[in-house]
Amino acid sequence: MSHNTFGKILCVTTFGESHGPAIGCVIDGCPPGIAITAEDFRHDLDRRATGKSRHTSQRHEEDAVEILSGVFEGKTTGTALALLIRNTDARSKDYGNIAETFRPAHADYTYWHKYGIRDHRGGGRSSARETTMRVAAGVIAKKWLHEHFGISVRGYLAQIGPHTPAAFDWSVVEDNAFFWPDAAMVATLESYMDALRKSGDSIGARVNVVANNVPPGWGEPIYGKLDAELAAALMSINAVKGVEIGAGFESVAQHGSQHRDEMTPQGFLSNHAGGILGGISSGQDVCVSIALKPTSSLRLPGRGVNLAGEATEVITTGRHDPCVGIRATPIAEAMVALVLMDQALRHRAQCGDVGVMSPLISASVAGAKPE
Amino acid sequence: MSHNTFGKILCVTTFGESHGPAIGCVIDGCPPGIAITAEDFRHDLDRRATGKSRHTSQRHEEDAVEILSGVFEGKTTGTALALLIRNTDARSKDYGNIAETFRPAHADYTYWHKYGIRDHRGGGRSSARETTMRVAAGVIAKKWLHEHFGISVRGYLAQIGPHTPAAFDWSVVEDNAFFWPDAAMVATLESYMDALRKSGDSIGARVNVVANNVPPGWGEPIYGKLDAELAAALMSINAVKGVEIGAGFESVAQHGSQHRDEMTPQGFLSNHAGGILGGISSGQDVCVSIALKPTSSLRLPGRGVNLAGEATEVITTGRHDPCVGIRATPIAEAMVALVLMDQALRHRAQCGDVGVMSPLISASVAGAKPE
Amino acid sequence: MSHNTFGKILCVTTFGESHGPAIGCVIDGCPPGIAITAEDFRHDLDRRATGKSRHTSQRHEEDAVEILSGVFEGKTTGTALALLIRNTDARSKDYGNIAETFRPAHADYTYWHKYGIRDHRGGGRSSARETTMRVAAGVIAKKWLHEHFGISVRGYLAQIGPHTPAAFDWSVVEDNAFFWPDAAMVATLESYMDALRKSGDSIGARVNVVANNVPPGWGEPIYGKLDAELAAALMSINAVKGVEIGAGFESVAQHGSQHRDEMTPQGFLSNHAGGILGGISSGQDVCVSIALKPTSSLRLPGRGVNLAGEATEVITTGRHDPCVGIRATPIAEAMVALVLMDQALRHRAQCGDVGVMSPLISASVAGAKPE
Amino acid sequence: MSHNTFGKILCVTTFGESHGPAIGCVIDGCPPGIAITAEDFRHDLDRRATGKSRHTSQRHEEDAVEILSGVFEGKTTGTALALLIRNTDARSKDYGNIAETFRPAHADYTYWHKYGIRDHRGGGRSSARETTMRVAAGVIAKKWLHEHFGISVRGYLAQIGPHTPAAFDWSVVEDNAFFWPDAAMVATLESYMDALRKSGDSIGARVNVVANNVPPGWGEPIYGKLDAELAAALMSINAVKGVEIGAGFESVAQHGSQHRDEMTPQGFLSNHAGGILGGISSGQDVCVSIALKPTSSLRLPGRGVNLAGEATEVITTGRHDPCVGIRATPIAEAMVALVLMDQALRHRAQCGDVGVMSPLISASVAGAKPE
């Protein structure tokens, strides 16, 4: 029940601080025989990495993964799989000037109250640097889900400040720095972000993730619900303030006759449920959406207090993303993949072979359209 | 890691189906010495119960709690505390006509794919009847939190369909059948609900819960975050499709300079964070908000399929709430209270006496106003 | 992680005190489709029950099991399976005279220090009455293991005081009140026990349990070892003071050339390992042995202290077994069965279908002889 | 619930194989503020290390611990504490000749059946190399237990083959290569071991561990019993085949009048219980004893089978201890310390400050004599 561990059968334990010597993780319960090399982590770590465009933080991390255990002759052995990444670009001195000051809306205030310890170096354990290992672990989950069930777990940016996509095309999402599904808007977003960066301010974002081909029957009743675990997994990502499944908060103003996804022999007629009924997958696309707050590390001065409780002015000069939500896309995908794989293994534990019961009806009449 | 169990130190395991002989729960890890009697459960169970007004389902459950163990001479002993409620108003025959039919947006479809078992009686284990035991367990958590920290965990209905409160007054919330904070609107809501019931349709709702006086320092980093566990706890409630902490999805369009809750020696200047920073309580009010979908059990016919995969028309004639969100208020309170107490005990485990470090600054300049 | 819960996938949570209104359990994670009725619990509960012969306690419990949930039309549904037994023969007054006195070698002293609560009624939660529910849960595990793998989990009394069996025959174990494998010695044991009862004293015992047909591959490395979990499961039974796997403490004086179980294409040549290597089953019989202390509830006066810390003389006049070890036989079987089933499900979670890899060599050249 | 993780509040997750690049661990839930440096691990790692005398394996590991996270300015921060040790003396080639052969009484046979993967390098994950990290984690637990409660957790070798100590003196245990409490016998043991090594055979051993000053009240009823968790912790150590608490298997032939530890205002009159009643510490010394089998890695040829199921002759030429039990002493201490600290934190979670209730009577009239 350790709080640095995620999952029940597939358990990921992470460690490391943003400005310590290294970060890493231990992946436990991984099925044997999955082909994996250090290179396999590259793609998603790059997608998450800072420094890929001028729109994200200018820190440069190599993020070279070393596999310490659990893989033998290129395949998982079923035993503890450990990954290590050395921190190579941690400039603690950037943070020296705020050693005595609590920054508004930062975790340093609450960690200090909890532990009585103040690690002022860039957030210490609370830094989003930790999410690197979530992405790494997610690589294995994505691979396994795809190989066994043809599942793809894909995310995109669905809103940034006032901007929402006017069109939707999966094929362009990976072609721009914003994971944006509308190619025509990319130039607009670039201008928007440039202006934002100049202003010294930051902005929130919404990320959507869709998993297709999830068989019906994954998820556990009551407290092990698929949606409950997705909610926890996604809310545990730095800066997330809200989680929706399917229609989410739109449900509040919907009538039952509108919200209920009617069923026909040809498939479901809609997917307001987001692919989950009673906490268990229905065979439709699993659709989640998250809200990410704007970072509070700004060049604009803000009111804070110091360790003596006195008023101070805080200006953050470290390298920070003006929109942390962009980079959250592969992190959210990773968390969704980890939840799905863990639930798949748990389903297999209780009920035997996963996906043994074919869906009674096909996923959707209208095709896998993200909510 | 059983899926019928909630919590890590304070563990609540529930059992029972809506149309079986009884429902119950086992509360494990409860501190010794808490005064508790069967009567203490009455108030919140009544708040949750059906049949209290014409606006909720007309099922009548007595919900008389029997304490089977864990209490001796009126006090908790520290050992397994078991509660039992006999089902007294389960008319299975109401469901006979849908024994062969999957209802749209119901869990019967997914349970059947998961388990290969069809318990057609009113949802079986997936029924909201289970939440009765959440409320019962929550009574103990609320009591403990209030006695030890002066914490109150209070909820109210923040939206029902198109209606939102025009005013806010905690003191009227318990005086109407809707947990509505604006007394002047109650007549309007009654008309709205009467029309809805007549139409045979249902509507969604939003419930807010606020916990005040939570000391700074509760919650665990990374995967044991207070907000992550609140998200799971709330999303696990029947019909919930979205969870927000603090500003929630409003954060998406906020600038950092607006969202960050600045700090002064006199207190925080706002509470967009919802009382949680880095997954740990800040000393401000903990504010959560949930979206509840409209029930799919309607008198309006809908398209479904039967066990043979053939098209059917489904009409639900059982007794069902036109707005399940109303009754969710005490359930959401209970889940928030259980999460808080569990985290309080876990904090005590790792860090010693809870609340030993006084808040550096007071909770809020503006007072405990729900987000 | 509740302490009233046992198992990881198959989770058994028990509740109830010896002198409260009822005892019960919730079985979580049980596969769906297992045929089970209230009658199925009868046989093993009778084997465990007091009052079956004059050699065990003269309390009379009906132990009538009520299935509260988790079974529909005679089959497990996959959801929480709850069992309840009302206590019908709890005479608290028998214990009134020791309300203020700590009995030597009893849990009342340590419970009082832990919880600050004194429930003097026959041990309260620490009573062996709790093991009734272990046996009940074990019935389901035994049934599942036998139906899926042909596994039998059988126990016998291997020593009582100075007496050990001179011969071994499984077929007579169930034919005498001692679970004794040597029919010729039963009369001797009866005389021995009669004399013991007359003397007011008690005696320890050793129980062996053997599970045959366990496929190779069950158990998890490091901290989830099959033998480690058997050790915990067995040591958690009231009065157990020692656990052995295979050769157990005889290993201390063995040479490696003697202890190692050599392998031939025809099978293993011995089973000092007790069927477990590196924490994982080998395909040989799984053999465990436990030591049970003599009960401390004696008619012979002993020195104790009262709540004021003053010296007292304690005589126990309640109904107690002169050898609690006898009744432990079905309890130990149940715990072994529960561990095996839980590990089988966990193996299926990580590695897919259980028993898919046939044993490379047959279990044993010599046949399944208990160690 | 990962099987590479140990503990409930204080959670230790280990990783690494004997012949991989490194081993390590993550310690979660550790209280903040414990002073710790890499040097603190030296003493116990040396006690466990191979190569310290000619009586243990001639592998040479530096075992230099690197602290990767969780310590800031010399103190634990309360967040994930990670330790890493690079493997510097792993000669895989020593094992090349047995790549195709299952060694008798080795885990390679069972791992292969479980995972379908064969890592032939010295046992891979099943190697006792993993216990290095247990000892490292135990260092922190020992330190915390001693600083907060004055608890010492000390072990000694209580038997090796036919030899048992004729005298007992704690002060000499650390002065000889055998952790032997009888200085006069050390020369005898050296001769015995030399002869054993020459013969190519190995021998079993018994290790006792005693923890003094444990406050009454630690441990949890039913399935979280202190003795049950000690049993699992100790049985999970490589080569352990039996665990005893207090009188252990001697209880089988004891009468109740003899076994029960009578209480007087001056203290307990004996300690057959091993300091645990009803699964909860009594305030007496906690006394455990374990049996370790002789290693099966012998120069004496034994019968095995190869991957094709054919008969082979196996001779182990790698470097192995003739008595693995000797080195188990600090490992067993570490496991006892980890269990105690975890239980202490759990007790604090449920019941508040540990040790708040003073023992009613003193630990023992006779003083802390190991059972």
Side-chain angles (χ1 to χ4, degrees), chain C residues 139-185:
Chain C
V139 165
I140 297 175
K142 282 180 172 180
K143 187 180 174 88
W144 186 84
L145 290 166
H146 194 262
E147 286 180 1
H148 285 68
F149 302 98
I151 293 171
S152 294
V153 181
R154 294 181 293 179
Y156 62 94
L157 205 65
Q159 188 176 347
I160 182 166
H163 299 288
T164 54
F168 186 87
D169 182 354
W170 273 120
S171 72
V172 305
V173 167
E174 298 296 319
D175 293 342
N176 63 79
F178 305 103
F179 302 102
W180 196 258
D182 180 358
M185 286 180 65

Side-chain angles (χ1 to χ4, degrees), chain D residues 125-323:
Chain D
R125 182 64 175 149
S126 74
S127 161
R129 178 90 181 119
E130 185 269 345
T131 59
T132 307
M133 301 317 304
R134 303 185 186 212
V135 170
V139 165
I140 296 175
K142 282 180 172 181
K143 188 181 173 89
W144 186 83
L145 289 167
H146 194 261
E147 286 179 1
H148 285 69
F149 302 98
I151 293 171
S152 293
V153 181
R154 293 181 295 179
Y156 62 94
L157 206 64
Q159 188 176 346
I160 182 165
H163 299 287
T164 53
F168 187 88
D169 181 356
W170 273 120
S171 72
V172 305
V173 168
E174 297 297 318
D175 293 342
N176 64 77
F178 305 103
F179 302 103
W180 196 257
D182 179 357
M185 286 179 66
V186 170
T188 306
L189 290 186
E190 287 183 340
S191 307
Y192 176 77
M193 289 296 287
D194 285 342
L196 186 67
R197 189 173 314 101
K198 245 171 250 169
S199 76
D201 214 334
S202 65
I203 194 72
R206 174 193 284 265
V207 170
N208 289 359
V209 177
V210 180
N212 65 6
N213 293 331
V214 176
W218 290 5
E220 297 181 322
I222 314 299
Y223 304 110
K225 284 178 175 168
L226 180 55
D227 40 0
E229 298 201 350
L230 287 168
L234 294 163
M235 194 69 91
S236 79
I237 299 172
N238 307 49
V240 172
K241 298 304 287 181
V243 178
E244 294 182 320
I245 309 291
F249 280 89
E250 282 187 23
S251 310
V252 172
Q254 287 179 327
H255 285 88
S257 55
Q258 170 191 11
H259 180 92
R260 64 175 165 180
D261 303 312
E262 291 181 293
M263 294 184 285
T264 70
Q266 290 73 42
F268 291 91
L269 297 182
S270 57
N271 187 11
H272 294 102
I276 302 174
L277 292 169
I280 299 171
S281 61
S282 68
Q284 291 199 281
D285 284 0
V286 172
C287 304
V288 300
S289 187
I290 57 176
L292 293 115
K293 71 175 183 183
T295 182
S296 310
S297 297
L298 307 178
R299 282 186 290 109
L300 303 175
R303 279 167 283 186
V305 295
N306 63 17
L307 279 166
E310 300 160 341
T312 60
E313 190 184 78
V314 182
I315 296 177
T316 308
T317 55
R319 302 147 295 166
H320 295 283
D321 293 0
C323 177

Side-chain angles (χ1 to χ4, degrees), chain A residues 3 110 113-114 130 201-202 217 219 223 225 236 241 243 245 256-257 260 262-263 273 277 300 303 347 360, chain B residues 3 110 113-114 130 201-202 217 219 223 225 236 241 243 245 256-257 260 262-263 273 277 301 303 347 360:
Chain A
H3 58 262
T110 53
H113 276 87
K114 183 172 193 69
E130 186 269 344
D201 213 335
S202 64
Y223 304 110
K225 286 178 174 166
S236 78
K241 299 305 286 182
V243 178
I245 308 291
S257 54
R260 62 175 166 181
E262 291 182 293
M263 294 184 286
L277 292 170
L300 303 175
R303 279 167 282 186
H347 179 70
L360 187 64
Chain B
H3 58 262
T110 54
H113 277 86
K114 182 171 194 71
E130 186 268 345
D201 213 335
S202 64
Y223 304 109
K225 285 177 175 167
S236 78
K241 298 305 286 182
V243 178
I245 309 290
S257 54
R260 64 176 165 182
E262 291 182 292
M263 293 183 285
L277 293 169
R303 279 167 284 186
H347 179 70
L360 187 63

